[in-house]
Amino acid sequence: MNWTTNLPLIAILRGIRPEEVEEHVGALIEAGFDAIEIPLNSPEWARSIASMLTTFGHKALIGAGTVLEPEQVDQLAAMNSKLVVTPNTDVAVIQRAVGKGMTVAAGCATASEAFAALKAGAQALKIFPSSAFGPDYIKALKAVLPADVPVFAVGGITPENLHAFLAAGCVGAGLGSDLYRPGQPVSRTAEQARAFVAAYKEAVQ
């Protein structure tokens, strides 16, 4: 299975507003990010995602996180969104998204959930909340998963601990509040983006 971006770090812009999204996404792309997730519990998420697809869709895999219902998948597909990230293992959501040709990173915590997500067609797995489980748990889980399945650590990932999750077998990570918090200046997003990219490159060199 292939993850379709050059840098396996997913920027999670939870809580971002339509009027500020372009500046932040622009800063992320400039730092090297090419996977952007706007969670559906963000204000006016449809406006933000649609505008980012228009502006940056040719440069990055852009889509939605916290996708909970098949109907939300339909709405995203109608705007040509390519990425669906779920917080849980919902077979109906995964199957709907895969059926529409979208890239799915399915949230899971156990081996049973991971295999259910893969059986439904998910191309990648998101272990959440990773910081609560720790790298050793993910390493043990990876031992029973197919070797070619991309596993992302999500939840509590920082530039300082990213290397430990990569060493445990994760291909990359989803980056939330340590990368972006609602209301923070674009300069902070750019600074953290550069820190994460540097940490990733140092860990995999």
Side-chain angles (χ1 to χ4, degrees):
M1 283 184 201
N2 291 320
W3 181 250
T4 58
T5 65
N6 295 317
L7 180 73
L9 299 177
I10 305 170
I12 304 169
L13 302 179
R14 188 178 307 279
I16 199 155
R17 297 180 177 278
E19 58 270 18
E20 62 182 345
V21 68
E22 184 171 342
E23 280 191 301
H24 287 272
V25 173
L28 289 164
I29 289 175
E30 190 174 327
F33 279 74
D34 57 353
I36 312 289
E37 166 195 337
I38 297 174
L40 298 193
N41 55 359
S42 302
E44 297 185 79
W45 61 265
R47 269 184 64 198
S48 291
I49 293 175
S51 66
M52 291 306 90
L53 287 166
T54 299
T55 307
F56 296 115
H58 61 296
K59 292 184 176 180
L61 183 68
I62 294 173
T66 319
V67 181
L68 300 172
E69 304 292 341
E71 293 75 20
Q72 294 171 331
V73 175
D74 295 340
Q75 194 174 350
L76 290 161
M79 60 177 75
N80 207 30
S81 173
K82 299 297 186 188
L83 174 66
V84 165
V85 183
T86 69
N88 59 342
T89 307
D90 189 309
V91 169
V93 169
I94 297 167
Q95 290 178 334
R96 183 73 61 90
V98 171
K100 291 184 177 293
M102 302 165 92
T103 298
V104 180
C108 57
T110 65
S112 294
E113 291 174 347
F115 281 104
L118 293 175
K119 190 174 182 180
Q123 297 97 332
L125 299 176
K126 158 189 160 180
I127 308 302
F128 178 81
S130 287
S131 60
F133 293 116
D136 288 346
Y137 177 87
I138 294 176
K139 187 175 183 179
L141 186 60
K142 277 279 297 177
V144 300
L145 294 174
D148 62 341
V149 173
V151 173
F152 289 80
V154 182
I157 309 303
T158 68
E160 293 73 32
N161 68 19
L162 176 62
H163 67 93
F165 291 95
L166 296 174
C170 293
V171 68
L175 311 173
S177 59
D178 207 66
L179 175 66
Y180 173 81
R181 291 177 188 270
Q184 77 181 24
V186 176
S187 59
R188 169 70 179 173
T189 302
E191 177 187 353
Q192 287 302 97
R194 290 191 295 267
F196 273 112
V197 171
Y200 174 79
K201 289 180 177 177
E202 185 178 337
V204 299
Q205 69 181 9

